[in-house]
Amino acid sequence: MPQYIRSLALDGIDGYEVTVECDISGGLPAFDVVGLPDAAVRESRERVRAAMKNCGCAFPARRITVNLAPAGTKKTGSLYDLPILLSILQCQGVIDPLPEDVMFLGELSLYGELRPAVGVLPMATTAAELGVRALYCPKENAKEASLAGGLTVYPVETVAQLLDHLQGIRPIAPMEDWTVEEYASALPQPDYADVMGQEQAKRALEIAAAGGHNILLVGPPGAGKSMLTERLPSILPSMSREEALEATKVHSVAGLTDAAHPMLTARPFRAPHHTVSSAGLTGGGSRPRPGEISLAHCGVLFLDELPQFYTDVLETLRQPLETGKVTISRAAGSLTYPARFMLVCAMNPCRCGWYGDPSGRCTCTEKSVDQYLSRISGPLLDRIDIQIEVPAVKYEDLEHRTPAEPSAAIRARVEDARERQRQRFEGSGITCNAYIPPSRMGTDCRMDEDAATFLRRSFERLGLTARSHDRILRVARTIADLDHAEIIGRRHIAEAVQYRSLDRRGL
């Protein structure tokens, strides 16, 4: 009589149920797996056969048919090994039929050991949503699976251990509750106290962190653009549990979680090289994987030497910056990954890097400077809220070596501003000022009369677009939050307009 085991599979960062059905019948010995399996799934026949033999279980010399339902969906990966093996043992009567409210997943070694899988957290979350009581998974994935909540997770090391548990010989202890804090990195983060001078740039980064705004740093070589950016995570607000789970799901699907770090405890910081391809940045491949923008979800994507990136690669950022997600379409279907990140870019002002420097060492003509800056398209610049010029560090700042304001003090102000935003947007799904929709501009970004007049004049004089207008308002809202002001004033608008340096060049 056919038997079945409930298991799981991945579709992007979402899981779905797969039923592993098995039938053993008479006839010549054969072992067929159907249900649109890929090569890795078909090869499970040999892994299951060897694992059963090396665990002391007799492999039936009969015709075995395994179906992976739903049969119309492509099945990939090796995590069906364990449910296939258990379905065969059920058909043989070695184990009793398993309860309806349990699921199994895991890749098998030839010795019957369970190897870790990728994407366990989103699959465990789906299991909990389906009302599953217990999930059996590889031991290395158990901590990650337990983050889903609502179900009991059993860490399994070997098939023999699992069979002893199912037969009541030696029960497996379920995964114990654990706290995220114990896995937080103990390594100290770089601190802004190490940065000499550059107070205006640090102020701009504080505003960006407080409101989740995109920012571009423009300055000569050695001005400290990378140094400033690398310290940005030290002032970002802590992730909520919901944000941490979302970001961890993406990293889990990409295979970047393990038993030692089952959950992200700090906002991700991704810094791809300028030779990255479109697929590497946005995701893709024959088996689509999340790209850098999705791995930066809820965190920071840092693009250093921005004009050196391929133009077509940069243009792929435009839609994700607006929608907070990226859809990858292939012949077999499409997948959608989250991509709500803070974009931080750095670049030189010209090819030689010294345009506008008081030393006068720049050798570029005005035309070559404009050509260099034009590598960054206007629509992409429109999506960058803050554009700040970072001058070369003065000798006096280096000579005195006076410790600057530490990151802890800046972060306290950022956290305070984020708390004001949390209260303002409670229940709306908006997480920070950078994502205020146009429909809420009138209520959330109220200005006094002087501020409105100044913004109108700046709009006309600088030739701003409607998108630039809204982004100035959002930045001004953040500056007002840092000042504990409910109404946006003229000085808040003036500072926000000041952070549109490339707009002032007419680009």
Side-chain angles (χ1 to χ4, degrees):
M1 179 178 177
Q3 299 289 333
Y4 70 90
I5 298 289
R6 297 178 73 187
S7 187
L8 295 152
L10 279 175
D11 181 28
I13 64 164
D14 298 314
Y16 65 93
E17 181 176 355
V18 170
T19 303
V20 180
E21 303 168 338
C22 179
D23 179 68
I24 299 179
S25 59
L28 293 174
F31 190 175
D32 296 318
V33 179
V34 298
L36 286 183
D38 71 349
V41 179
R42 290 193 296 269
E43 290 171 355
S44 66
R45 297 174 298 183
E46 307 308 321
R47 291 191 295 272
V48 168
R49 191 194 310 270
M52 289 183 64
K53 181 189 70 172
N54 291 317
C55 288
C57 300
F59 189 82
R62 303 174 66 187
R63 182 174 185 81
I64 304 171
T65 303
V66 172
N67 178 48
L68 307 178
T73 304
K74 183 76 173 179
K75 314 300 185 309
T76 62
S78 54
L79 52 84
Y80 306 108
D81 291 1
L82 180 60
I84 289 174
L85 182 146
L86 292 176
S87 67
I88 294 174
L89 294 179
Q90 275 193 164
C91 282
Q92 289 181 292
V94 175
I95 58 175
D96 295 331
L98 295 167
E100 288 277 344
D101 57 354
V102 297
M103 286 185 165
F104 299 83
L105 59 87
E107 175 188 335
L108 295 175
S109 74
L110 300 185
Y111 298 99
E113 300 169 340
L114 265 71
R115 290 183 170 146
V118 299
V120 170
L121 176 56
M123 289 188 286
T125 302
T126 298
E129 293 171 351
L130 293 172
V132 170
R133 173 181 57 85
L135 174 66
Y136 293 81
C137 67
K139 181 180 180 181
E140 288 83 353
N141 298 125
K143 290 177 180 176
E144 180 184 329
S146 68
L147 293 170
L151 77 168
T152 303
V153 177
Y154 289 93
V156 183
E157 296 184 59
T158 66
V159 171
Q161 179 198 28
L162 178 58
L163 295 181
D164 286 346
H165 170 83
L166 296 176
Q167 294 168 349
I169 299 173
R170 190 178 297 107
I172 298 174
M175 187 67 219
E176 297 180 358
D177 292 336
W178 57 280
T179 59
V180 175
E181 287 74 17
E182 65 181 286
Y183 293 94
S185 175
L187 295 176
Q189 288 184 316
D191 197 289
Y192 276 115
D194 305 328
V195 181
M196 303 295 106
Q198 303 297 12
E199 297 305 321
Q200 187 179 24
K202 285 189 280 189
R203 166 68 175 174
L205 286 165
E206 177 182 339
I207 295 169
H213 302 289
N214 304 323
I215 182 170
L216 169 64
L217 306 177
V218 183
K225 302 185 295 296
S226 298
M227 186 177 185
L228 286 162
T229 304
E230 288 166 359
R231 284 154 175 76
L232 181 59
S234 67
I235 65 171
L236 290 175
S238 301
M239 284 193 292
S240 65
R241 180 174 175 82
E242 292 74 19
E243 288 178 319
L245 287 175
E246 278 189 15
T248 302
K249 283 182 180 180
V250 180
H251 283 244
S252 176
V253 170
L256 300 179
T257 56
D258 54 36
H261 301 91
M263 183 178 185
L264 269 68
T265 57
R267 294 185 181 274
F269 182 89
R270 306 292 299 185
H273 192 261
H274 64 259
T275 56
V276 67
S277 65
S278 295
L281 193 65
T282 60
S286 56
R287 290 178 57 184
R289 289 169 51 88
E292 291 291 340
I293 64 174
S294 294
L295 293 173
H297 181 61
C298 295
V300 175
L301 177 70
F302 177 41
L303 302 183
D304 199 6
E305 304 297 343
L306 187 64
Q308 302 303 320
F309 284 78
Y310 298 114
T311 302
D312 60 324
V313 173
L314 291 180
E315 294 307 301
T316 61
L317 291 172
R318 287 160 56 175
Q319 184 184 18
L321 285 172
E322 290 292 323
T323 63
K325 59 185 178 181
V326 58
T327 300
I328 303 169
S329 298
R330 295 293 182 268
S334 62
L335 295 174
T336 298
Y337 292 114
R340 182 71 74 184
F341 57 92
M342 181 177 164
L343 178 64
V344 181
C345 306
M347 60 181 287
N348 295 330
C350 64
R351 290 188 182 278
C352 74
W354 296 101
Y355 179 80
D357 189 78
S359 64
R361 70 177 79 179
C362 178
T363 58
C364 301
T365 63
E366 286 289 338
K367 182 178 180 180
S368 67
V369 171
D370 290 341
Q371 288 177 340
Y372 182 77
L373 295 178
S374 67
R375 293 176 62 90
I376 315 303
S377 71
L380 180 60
L381 280 176
D382 255 359
R383 289 165 170 81
I384 298 178
D385 307 349
I386 299 174
Q387 305 155 10
I388 183 73
E389 294 180 1
V390 184
V393 181
K394 297 179 181 178
Y395 180 78
E396 291 77 12
D397 294 327
L398 297 175
E399 183 183 28
H400 291 100
R401 293 287 175 181
T402 303
E405 185 178 29
S407 293
I410 302 174
R411 181 170 181 166
R413 295 195 295 269
V414 169
E415 293 275 13
D416 181 66
R418 284 291 182 108
E419 177 59 24
R420 297 174 67 88
Q421 295 167 52
R422 188 193 64 78
Q423 295 175 7
R424 180 184 302 124
F425 304 131
E426 189 170 10
S428 66
I430 303 172
T431 56
C432 56
N433 288 334
Y435 308 130
I436 299 175
S439 60
R440 294 186 57 130
M441 285 288 185
T443 56
D444 294 333
C445 299
R446 289 176 296 157
M447 298 179 284
D448 60 29
E449 188 175 342
D450 284 347
T453 301
F454 186 87
L455 180 58
R456 184 184 306 110
R457 291 174 178 172
S458 299
F459 184 88
E460 295 170 352
R461 185 173 67 254
L462 298 178
L464 301 176
T465 65
R467 182 181 289 115
S468 297
H469 170 274
D470 288 353
R471 291 189 180 277
I472 287 174
L473 270 180
R474 294 185 184 111
V475 173
R477 175 69 270 169
T478 300
I479 297 171
D481 285 339
L482 287 168
D483 280 352
H484 298 148
E486 288 300 322
I487 304 298
I488 297 174
R490 178 190 174 97
R491 61 191 179 89
H492 303 138
I493 291 290
E495 185 174 1
V497 170
Q498 175 189 338
Y499 296 135
R500 304 293 300 184
S501 62
L502 295 186
D503 285 339
R504 297 199 300 273
R505 282 186 56 87
L507 298 180

